[in-house]
Amino acid sequence: MLECGMLQRDSWALRRQSAILCKQLVVDELLVQSLQADDILTDNMAESIMAEPTSQKRSWKLIQLLPKRGPRAFSSFCSVLKETEQQHLCDLLTQSQEKDGKETYVERFGDSSFQLPTQEGNVTKRARMHEAMEYSLDADSPINTPVLPCTPDFYLSHCQQSYRMRSSPRGFALVISNVTFDPCAAPDLGPRKGGEVDDEVLRKVFTELDYVVTVHRDLSAQGIRKCIENFCQLPGHRTVDSCVVCLLSHGVEGAIYGTDGQLLQLDWVFEAFDNAHCPLLQNKPKMFFIQACRGDEMDCGVEQIDGPVRTCSPSCEQRDAGREGDGDNDSRKRGEDGRPRIKLPQRSDMICGFASLKGQKICTAAMRNTKRGSWFIQELNSALRLHARDTHLADILVQVNGRIKEREGYAPGTAHHRCKEMSEFTSSLCKDLFLFPKYQPQY
């Protein structure tokens, strides 16, 4: 049986550095699972830590628990810090431990703020017994291996046929994750337990892919709309080479729910990023990852505002759109500055990955693990980390779909098997889309 208290000098070192730990410690699945494997944390404790909405709150929760987890807790924690590449925090704690080891300190970790949630943990365990069958089918967790870098040879052999990906950062990434819904305004929309894992996974992987990531959680439909409008208007889009938008929520065909139970149409989202409404992203790849289905809309076209230097494909020119007979007058083919006028499709250079097929309502509960997040985001994270170095994004999404199909057979004959999730994607890309991770061309 685990002894109750941590050694006095260890608990004092932990408490003394708690402020720095809360700011710098990265508490992810790998760290928590390592402490579980060493019998420092119970399953309930690990789940309560990962359920916290922010990294800082997860760190604080862990710091609260460790002092009561026995005399091995400190050394185990330090070992795990080394394993998760947080050696600087391990050094900070051990130095503090050596410095204060001989000092006498009145133990105060018995305060209510550092007590174990024993009764609450039991209640949580009882309440989630049925969820264990409904959600926690798979035992794997989001991988945390570093994003594999692109090699110079691969970049040089593919850059001419691909979208420009040379800026640092590569672009801006927006993640909107609705986890908790208003029980009064949306009584039929339960919490998306595990959704907080998804947005953290996306934040990490796109940060490693050199994107500036912004995460917003629990927004109403109007809040999502305003957030997207602000994101589209960022002046920084002018100097970067791409953008990413991730929308995670309950949804129906062609729309996602805000926390107020109101629907936001995905067509409006795509329109906000099209060539007319977001000119700073013209001819730049725009990547969408959405937990909902899509709708259709006619493309009427819009004039490109910045001339042929940004043209990606000759098919964008008027003469290739069946308009040669409209007149041969050069003044009609050229703008006021004398440069040829180019027509772009209304929506181009977009690729969108969906967590379900078109025409199906998304089944968020059956395919989301309360501890590890949704299957779609897990597989997207894994594929990006392992294959973004040398694989077209469309092929990555094909791999994601294949992995999800493999998971569907996990519990054949159950409700989860019948409520299948098949990812799919649409694309209006006109060049190859490689992310070229961790490679910065020298020019």
Side-chain angles (χ1 to χ4, degrees), residues 319-370:
R319 64 177 179 272
D320 290 336
R323 298 196 176 109
E324 300 92 332
D326 288 352
D328 294 328
N329 192 329
D330 287 343
S331 64
R332 297 189 60 183
K333 295 182 180 181
R334 296 179 179 272
E336 295 179 358
D337 58 357
R339 299 166 71 182
R341 294 177 62 187
I342 304 297
K343 271 282 190 177
L344 292 177
Q346 182 86 10
R347 296 179 188 173
S348 63
D349 311 296
M350 294 183 178
I351 184 167
C352 185
F354 299 89
S356 60
L357 294 173
K358 183 178 179 180
Q360 295 182 345
K361 292 184 178 180
I362 187 169
C363 304
T364 54
M367 295 303 176
R368 188 181 66 257
N369 187 294
T370 57

Side-chain angles (χ1 to χ4, degrees), residues 49-109:
I49 291 171
M50 295 308 297
E52 293 294 334
T54 66
S55 179
Q56 189 169 2
K57 289 184 178 180
R58 286 195 290 273
S59 299
W60 179 244
K61 185 83 169 183
L62 177 61
I63 295 169
Q64 285 181 310
L65 291 173
L66 284 175
K68 293 293 185 178
R69 300 308 297 162
R72 292 191 305 106
F74 185 86
S75 60
S76 176
F77 180 52
C78 289
S79 297
V80 171
L81 288 176
K82 295 178 183 178
E83 294 172 6
T84 55
E85 300 182 354
Q86 301 183 76
Q87 178 72 47
H88 66 293
L89 295 179
C90 175
D91 295 341
L92 183 72
L93 287 173
T94 53
Q95 290 169 8
S96 180
Q97 177 196 48
E98 293 169 359
K99 178 180 178 181
D100 301 310
K102 297 181 180 180
E103 296 181 6
T104 301
Y105 176 72
V106 178
E107 183 63 44
R108 284 187 283 179
F109 279 112

Side-chain angles (χ1 to χ4, degrees), residues 10-213:
D10 297 343
S11 61
W12 170 227
L14 190 66
R15 178 154 186 165
R16 184 164 187 170
Q17 304 301 335
S18 60
I20 296 177
L21 288 171
C22 281
K23 291 180 180 179
Q24 300 184 16
L25 178 62
V26 177
V27 179
D28 55 16
E29 286 273 0
L30 179 60
L31 184 143
V32 170
Q33 287 181 349
S34 296
L35 290 174
Q36 281 181 273
D38 205 17
D39 292 327
I40 301 301
L41 296 178
T42 66
D43 290 346
N44 280 343
M45 291 174 187
E47 186 171 351
S48 69
I49 291 171
M50 295 308 297
E52 293 294 334
T54 66
S55 179
Q56 189 169 2
K57 289 184 178 180
R58 286 195 290 273
S59 299
W60 179 244
K61 185 83 169 183
L62 177 61
I63 295 169
Q64 285 181 310
L65 291 173
L66 284 175
K68 293 293 185 178
R69 300 308 297 162
R72 292 191 305 106
F74 185 86
S75 60
S76 176
F77 180 52
C78 289
S79 297
V80 171
L81 288 176
K82 295 178 183 178
E83 294 172 6
T84 55
E85 300 182 354
Q86 301 183 76
Q87 178 72 47
H88 66 293
L89 295 179
C90 175
D91 295 341
L92 183 72
L93 287 173
T94 53
Q95 290 169 8
S96 180
Q97 177 196 48
E98 293 169 359
K99 178 180 178 181
D100 301 310
K102 297 181 180 180
E103 296 181 6
T104 301
Y105 176 72
V106 178
E107 183 63 44
R108 284 187 283 179
F109 279 112
D111 295 346
S112 59
S113 62
F114 279 86
Q115 289 177 352
L116 294 178
T118 52
Q119 185 175 0
E120 183 180 349
N122 291 335
V123 172
T124 302
K125 185 176 181 179
R126 288 195 299 270
R128 295 188 177 180
M129 284 178 64
H130 70 285
E131 294 175 358
M133 293 183 62
E134 183 174 0
Y135 300 110
S136 301
L137 296 177
D138 49 335
D140 53 326
S141 301
I143 68 167
N144 291 285
T145 57
V147 170
L148 298 179
C150 169
T151 64
D153 287 345
F154 183 84
Y155 175 83
L156 293 174
S157 62
H158 289 79
C159 63
Q160 296 299 321
Q161 295 78 34
S162 305
Y163 283 98
R164 172 191 170 105
M165 279 287 180
R166 300 205 299 254
S167 65
S168 184
R170 291 285 191 262
F172 297 94
L174 175 66
V175 179
I176 297 177
S177 175
N178 283 348
V179 177
T180 304
F181 294 77
D182 187 336
C184 298
D188 296 331
L189 300 178
R192 297 179 60 253
K193 299 176 181 178
E196 68 281 349
V197 179
D198 284 343
D199 58 58
E200 181 68 7
V201 164
L202 290 170
R203 183 192 66 78
K204 287 181 178 180
V205 70
F206 282 111
T207 296
E208 289 190 47
L209 288 166
D210 199 18
Y211 285 83
V212 178
V213 184

Side-chain angles (χ1 to χ4, degrees), residues 102 215 410:
K102 297 181 180 180
V215 179
Y410 195 96

